[in-house]
Amino acid sequence: MTGENTDADLSALRQGDPDRYLSTLYAPADKRAALAVIYGFNAEIAGIRDRIHEPLPGEIRIQWWRDALAGGAQATAGHPLASALSDVIARHSLPLDAFDRYLEARVFDLYDDPMPSRTDLEGYCGETASALIQLAGLVLAPEAAAGFASAAGHAGCAQGIAGLLRLLPLHRSRGQCYLPADVLAAAGTSREDFLAGSDRAGTARAIAAMVALGREHAAQFEAEARGMPSALRPAFLPATLAPAYLDRVAALGDEAATQPADISALRRHWTLLRRAMRGWG
């Protein structure tokens, strides 16, 4: 990839996924383009729901990506992002089945179906956020990445849960609910009450339970990340922001369903810098 393409990929990523963009700045210069392409692919697929009015066109688009990536360079010719991703997959020997599972998991986003259980939610996060961490790790330090696969699983769950909680207002406006049915039931409420905004106390309890789940995964990630080589750290940096986002969601309580939870730019930069420099012990 040319320097011009690298700059364009990073610029697009900065707009579409600022946390992952910042994490690429801590990666070696010769690895940033590959990371930007992987993260740009994620932003492209995650944004399909915003560009469709019915699920079927979204499914067709996702199937196109599955077929294109399976077909390699020839099948992706003419599509800049797909062609760049095919090149990254080939150059870094990335597993195609990880992308296939990622795309299959993303079909859920196109519909308003309920998330059945905590286990289903963790599986969704594992095939999306955790998979991206593992793929980035294979780009950065392939020899070390396998030893931190479990850490990537927990990191992705923490990051994914924090991200879904931050998107509660958007999802509720669409009629989507990623809060698992068993978590809602344990909180004494339901998907219907959450979407209608008719049970603030139940919503607060469900959000608190989700924050606790996110923190559980974040703590396990921190424990399993000890000794991680510095070359691998940039793949995990976006997930290190999860505890701060979860704290903000917890502070908002049921208002997190109507107000996006964010943190200051200073806290974001400081958290990334500290982990990039010091790691996890």
Side-chain angles (χ1 to χ4, degrees):
M1 282 175 280
T2 67
E4 181 179 351
N5 287 339
T6 300
D7 291 343
D9 291 335
L10 287 170
S11 179
L13 185 63
R14 184 176 186 177
Q15 296 299 316
D17 193 341
D19 289 351
R20 287 190 174 94
Y21 163 75
L22 289 173
S23 74
T24 66
L25 303 183
Y26 292 97
D30 63 342
K31 301 293 180 69
R32 290 174 193 165
L35 295 180
V37 168
I38 293 171
Y39 296 155
F41 161 75
N42 174 64
E44 169 71 18
I45 303 304
I48 288 177
R49 174 69 186 246
D50 297 323
R51 301 189 295 273
I52 62 170
H53 299 290
E54 297 291 337
L56 183 57
E59 288 221 42
I60 292 172
R61 191 61 181 163
I62 285 177
Q63 187 59 47
W64 180 90
W65 274 96
R66 297 174 81 169
D67 294 342
L69 293 180
Q74 187 173 4
T76 57
H79 189 293
L81 179 57
S83 180
L85 183 59
S86 180
D87 180 60
V88 168
I89 290 170
R91 284 191 296 111
H92 295 279
S93 301
L94 301 181
L96 267 178
D97 63 325
F99 290 93
D100 194 61
R101 293 194 304 270
Y102 169 93
L103 289 164
E104 178 62 28
R106 284 295 190 180
V107 172
F108 183 86
D109 301 344
L110 307 177
Y111 294 87
D112 298 335
D113 297 338
M115 181 69 73
S117 69
R118 163 181 166 163
T119 301
D120 290 297
L121 174 65
E122 290 170 329
Y124 170 88
C125 292
E127 300 293 8
T128 54
S130 298
L132 291 174
I133 294 171
Q134 290 176 295
L135 290 166
L138 289 172
V139 169
L140 291 166
E143 299 82 7
F148 291 88
S150 179
H154 289 293
C157 281
Q159 182 184 9
I161 290 167
L164 291 173
L165 289 173
R166 294 178 66 205
L167 290 172
L168 281 178
L170 173 63
H171 291 157
R172 190 158 82 162
S173 71
R174 293 173 173 170
Q176 287 179 295
C177 179
Y178 285 82
L179 304 184
D182 58 354
V183 172
L184 290 166
T189 189
S190 67
R191 175 178 180 274
E192 291 70 27
D193 287 338
F194 169 78
L195 292 175
S198 57
D199 182 5
R200 291 188 60 179
T203 293
R205 290 192 294 271
I207 289 173
M210 289 289 288
V211 168
L213 177 60
R215 286 173 171 164
E216 179 183 321
H217 281 289
Q220 191 64 33
F221 157 51
E222 294 270 337
E224 295 189 8
R226 294 192 182 104
M228 181 183 294
S230 59
L232 191 57
R233 290 175 197 164
F236 289 80
L237 288 182
T240 66
L241 298 172
Y245 286 127
L246 292 169
D247 288 347
R248 181 59 182 148
V249 171
L252 286 171
D254 72 285
E255 291 182 359
T258 57
Q259 298 181 35
D262 210 347
I263 59 176
S264 69
L266 178 60
R267 186 172 186 184
R268 182 183 294 112
H269 283 280
W270 171 244
T271 299
L272 294 175
L273 176 63
R274 180 166 57 90
R275 287 306 188 191
M277 296 297 104
R278 300 180 184 175
W280 291 268

